[in-house]
Amino acid sequence: MNRYFCFALIFMISSFNGLIAQPGISFQISFTEPQAHYADVEMQISGNKSDFIDLKMPVWAPGSYLVREFAKNVEGFYAKGADNAPLKVQKLDKNTWRIAAKGKEGIKAGYRVYAFEISVRTSFIDESHAFLSPTGIFMYVDGLINQPATVSINPHVDWKKISTGLDAVKGKKNTFYAENFDVLYDSPIEVGNQDVFEFEAAGVKHEVAMYGGGNYDKEKLSADMALIIETETEIFKENPNKRYVFIVHNFQNGGGGLEHLNSTVLGASRLGYKSEKSYKGFLGLVAHEYFHLWNVKRLRPQALGPFDYDTENYTTDLWIAEGFTAYYDNLMLRRAEFYSPEKYLEVLCEDIKVVENQPGSKIQPVSESSFDAWIKYYRPNENSRNSTISYYNKGALLGMILDLEILNATKAAKGLDDVMKAMYDEYYIRQKRGYTGDEFKAMAEKIAGISLDNFYRDYVHGTSPINYNVHLGHAGLSLVNENAGSNVPSLGITASQKEGKLIVSSVTRGGSAWIGGLSVNDEIIAVDGYRVNGTTDALRTTDLDKIIASGKVGDKISVIISRDGLLKTIELTLTPDTNGKFRIEADKNATAEQLAVRKKWLKL
């Protein structure tokens, strides 16, 4: 036996011993007081060899870029040995509990979680069901994030169903397996009496778990969702799952979605399925979250996995991860022919309207918007419209522009689809890692055969106005602002009635109120000697609106306000309303090259 073989054998034995010494981890979840919105969590750790164990609760949920401090909902933490003798516990920081575990191979930790926040990213429990968002329920052993875990669920009395993307453990009722905590944290769980139906699409079994009732048609939903899934799968040529779960929460007014590895959680309005607009909105949400199956959950910026659950995970590329997904969701509805070409262009104009009518688009680059999502996007204030732009809306428009630029450069032979497929193959399948911003740019340039330096300088890292007519012109289309040239006077504010008072709720950068010093929370009492009253009736015009509409740009007005209980008179000069209203028109004299791009882009 040579020394190299001996060394290798010793290394293998020591590695094997290290593996068998790793603790086994399991959870039991029960609901003794669901009406009070509690989950009871018991965590069992076996095979411990350490003097102490640190248990940590994540502070955020992947896909939702905000530190939410899930540990704030934990109470009654305790630890015991296998003999049920109490073990000393020390709270080290906001989300870490240290257990004195010396000499204890078997350890049991328990705690309760208060869950009463309705959203797709937070847990909610009441007498009718339990929705478990895993990052706010399950703790992990510090340093053992890659350890497998099992979860056994004891449903409350009369709850009969469990829906989750986790694999069921054979032979064990209501028990599920996660190969590591990244998988566990990416697998939400619905427990209750949800309405469950199934369909197959792209060779994958899909389960839909509907909570909250609703006027949905299961057969129609199955067919329409399957069409979207197959349309998206065609881009990447493979569907990486064997099974996928949609958890849908139907409320009186619901919305939003959060992507997961082989599942998603969607919010919907329970009586919105019969309205064409609302139904198409729901299908768009399905298309958005399902597209994340590839873009974000597998093809991802480097910062988005493996995750650090203790702190923010920064990236400048959410405009790709989220924005391109927002571009593709409506484009998929066009390709699946839920939207006519004309309707799709109308929908596209809504994104243009949002971006162009937001003063913050001239202040914050979309790469900065991505990076600062943690402190700005999820924490908007009264000035956010003036200082920020959404990486969703702006990113969607940049997806459109890049698609058109590639189609034009390749004479409609290739588009953004080809970039996404090539990136997926290279970084998810071949290199098995996330990409850098420079790597995405390089791949897009390779597919297009052109430099994207100006695109990145002006639109990604800069705030240059988007020249829509240049980019849409590649498809023989042009953008028309129906409000261009109008000289409608405006105060540049929004106001709402509160307790019979007309209160300023926002002030637009560069407008009359901004320049003259009118502020959010000011109560408007009178204008030019006329008493002003508010109204909560959306079909009526406020007195203030009537007064402003009767004037003209350049008029000076005197506004009496109450600010913090003190009366004040402010002199303002009316400025023009700069908000645009947009439509996209087709050039009747478009060239054959332009028509080829239009045909490929809009699937004509």
Side-chain angles (χ1 to χ4, degrees):
M1 181 183 296
N2 65 44
R3 61 192 180 98
Y4 297 106
F5 180 77
C6 182
F7 173 80
L9 182 61
I10 292 171
F11 177 79
M12 289 173 61
I13 292 172
S14 62
S15 298
F16 179 73
N17 287 335
L19 287 173
I20 63 174
Q22 293 293 323
I25 301 171
S26 64
F27 294 90
Q28 290 190 9
I29 311 294
S30 57
F31 308 94
T32 55
E33 293 184 297
Q35 81 290 346
H37 320 297
Y38 279 95
D40 304 289
V41 183
E42 184 178 277
M43 182 178 184
Q44 293 188 345
I45 305 166
S46 62
N48 172 62
K49 302 296 181 183
S50 302
D51 290 344
F52 61 84
I53 290 177
D54 289 344
L55 297 187
K56 301 180 75 70
M57 176 74 81
V59 303
W60 69 289
S64 181
Y65 308 103
L66 175 68
V67 171
R68 297 180 183 275
E69 309 292 19
F70 294 120
K72 67 186 177 183
N73 295 318
V74 173
E75 59 185 70
F77 187 96
Y78 67 87
K80 298 179 180 180
D83 56 1
N84 277 331
L87 299 178
K88 182 181 177 180
V89 175
Q90 179 186 3
K91 188 82 177 287
L92 297 185
D93 56 37
K94 64 182 181 180
N95 66 320
T96 308
W97 288 259
R98 172 165 289 180
I99 301 171
K102 186 174 183 179
K104 303 291 183 179
E105 291 197 5
I107 295 167
K108 182 189 301 181
Y111 52 93
R112 308 187 83 200
V113 178
Y114 180 72
F116 195 55
E117 182 180 352
I118 294 178
S119 82
V120 296
R121 61 192 69 85
T122 52
S123 298
F124 181 89
I125 300 168
D126 66 11
E127 72 284 351
S128 66
H129 80 130
F131 169 63
L132 305 180
S133 183
T135 47
I137 298 292
F138 301 105
M139 295 187 187
Y140 66 94
V141 178
D142 192 21
L144 297 180
I145 200 78
N146 291 319
Q147 281 294 103
T150 60
V151 177
S152 297
I153 297 174
N154 181 24
H156 190 60
V157 62
D158 295 330
W159 292 356
K160 306 298 183 185
K161 298 177 183 178
I162 301 173
S163 298
T164 180
L166 290 171
D167 291 331
V169 176
K170 293 182 179 179
K172 291 188 177 182
K173 185 178 181 181
N174 299 337
T175 302
F176 304 89
Y177 174 81
E179 63 185 76
N180 56 53
F181 275 76
D182 284 322
V183 171
L184 179 59
Y185 289 148
D186 222 1
S187 303
I189 303 170
E190 176 72 23
V191 189
N193 296 307
Q194 58 271 23
D195 183 17
V196 176
F197 60 94
E198 298 177 343
F199 63 89
E200 187 170 306
V204 176
K205 180 180 178 181
H206 292 79
E207 172 186 323
V208 182
M210 289 281 198
Y211 165 79
N215 59 355
Y216 53 87
D217 181 326
K218 290 188 232 185
E219 290 188 8
K220 180 174 175 58
L221 265 180
S222 296
D224 291 347
M225 292 168 75
L227 183 54
I228 290 170
I229 290 163
E230 288 168 354
T231 302
E232 293 185 349
T233 302
E234 180 59 28
I235 295 174
F236 297 93
K237 309 303 181 187
E238 73 161 24
N239 195 305
N241 288 322
K242 295 180 180 178
R243 178 172 166 269
Y244 190 93
V245 178
F246 292 92
I247 297 174
V248 184
H249 292 152
N250 294 300
F251 296 108
Q252 183 174 1
N253 296 295
L258 187 64
E259 71 275 6
H260 295 282
L261 195 64
N262 67 340
S263 62
T264 186
V265 185
L266 309 177
S269 298
R270 65 170 58 95
L271 298 181
Y273 295 94
K274 298 300 182 184
S275 158
E276 181 179 2
K277 181 178 179 181
S278 179
Y279 184 64
K280 294 291 175 61
F282 178 76
L283 292 182
L285 181 60
V286 169
H288 183 99
E289 300 305 336
Y290 203 87
F291 196 82
H292 275 314
L293 177 68
W294 297 275
N295 191 30
V296 169
K297 298 317 302 182
R298 289 164 178 83
L299 170 61
R300 57 175 177 78
Q302 273 192 333
L304 301 186
F307 297 113
D308 181 345
Y309 296 100
D310 256 356
T311 189
E312 298 87 347
N313 292 218
Y314 292 103
T315 175
T316 57
D317 293 321
L318 290 181
W319 64 277
I320 299 172
E322 293 289 354
F324 282 18
T325 304
Y327 168 60
Y328 270 103
D329 55 24
N330 286 320
L331 188 63
M332 293 300 96
L333 264 60
R334 165 61 209 132
R335 289 187 188 173
E337 299 188 355
F338 292 108
Y339 286 150
S340 66
E342 295 76 16
K343 181 61 180 177
Y344 172 68
L345 294 178
E346 286 181 24
V347 172
L348 191 59
C349 283
E350 289 301 310
D351 268 330
I352 294 174
K353 178 181 176 181
V354 169
V355 171
E356 293 305 309
N357 290 346
Q358 185 150 331
S361 66
K362 300 176 180 65
I363 303 297
Q364 185 185 49
V366 73
S367 57
E368 180 184 299
S369 172
S370 300
F371 192 86
D372 282 347
W374 297 93
I375 58 173
K376 293 186 177 182
Y377 182 77
Y378 288 96
R379 289 186 174 126
N381 60 25
E382 68 281 350
N383 195 47
S384 293
R385 289 191 69 257
N386 292 319
S387 60
T388 67
I389 192 64
S390 166
Y391 48 79
Y392 283 93
N393 301 109
K394 182 71 174 287
L397 293 183
L398 296 191
M400 173 198 75
I401 291 168
L402 189 54
D403 202 1
L404 288 168
E405 289 301 311
I406 297 170
L407 286 166
N408 179 65
T410 62
K411 300 187 183 304
K414 294 181 179 179
L416 187 57
D417 287 9
D418 299 278
V419 176
M420 302 303 286
K421 174 67 165 61
M423 289 292 294
Y424 179 83
D425 290 347
E426 176 63 24
Y427 293 100
Y428 172 66
I429 294 179
R430 195 177 76 81
Q431 296 198 37
K432 297 178 172 57
R433 65 171 177 86
Y435 60 83
T436 67
D438 288 342
E439 287 168 340
F440 192 96
K441 177 176 180 286
M443 183 66 79
E445 290 178 327
K446 178 181 178 181
I447 298 294
I450 58 174
S451 170
L452 293 174
D453 286 350
N454 292 345
F455 173 86
Y456 272 77
R457 181 197 64 207
D458 296 340
Y459 296 157
V460 177
H461 303 305
T463 58
S464 299
I466 295 175
N467 194 333
Y468 294 98
N469 286 333
V470 166
H471 306 297
L472 289 170
H474 297 322
L477 302 168
S478 61
L479 184 70
V480 177
N481 181 358
E482 296 178 358
N483 290 347
S486 66
N487 214 23
V488 177
S490 171
L491 266 184
I493 66 168
T494 58
S496 58
Q497 187 185 43
K498 296 181 180 178
E499 299 177 350
K501 302 174 181 179
L502 189 62
I503 307 296
V504 177
S505 53
S506 72
V507 176
T508 300
R509 181 185 291 270
S512 175
W514 175 282
I515 296 169
L518 199 61
S519 295
V520 169
N521 296 326
D522 286 348
E523 177 194 354
I524 299 177
I525 296 174
V527 176
D528 283 347
Y530 293 100
R531 184 74 170 88
V532 170
N533 294 308
T535 176
T536 56
D537 186 349
L539 298 179
R540 294 176 56 199
T541 303
T542 66
D543 294 338
L544 178 62
D545 293 331
K546 294 175 183 176
I547 294 171
I548 301 304
S550 67
K552 61 182 183 296
V553 172
D555 284 353
K556 297 185 182 299
I557 61 173
S558 178
V559 182
I560 298 176
I561 65 167
S562 173
R563 180 179 293 170
D564 191 32
L566 300 177
L567 294 182
K568 183 180 180 69
T569 300
I570 296 179
E571 304 296 331
L572 302 176
T573 301
L574 295 181
T575 55
D577 185 352
T578 58
N579 284 330
K581 181 182 179 183
F582 303 96
R583 71 174 188 273
I584 295 175
E585 290 185 346
D587 182 356
K588 296 179 181 179
N589 298 314
T591 66
E593 290 80 5
Q594 289 173 316
L595 291 175
V597 170
R598 189 193 305 175
K599 180 179 180 180
K600 182 71 175 289
W601 180 43
L602 298 180
K603 192 189 174 185
L604 300 178

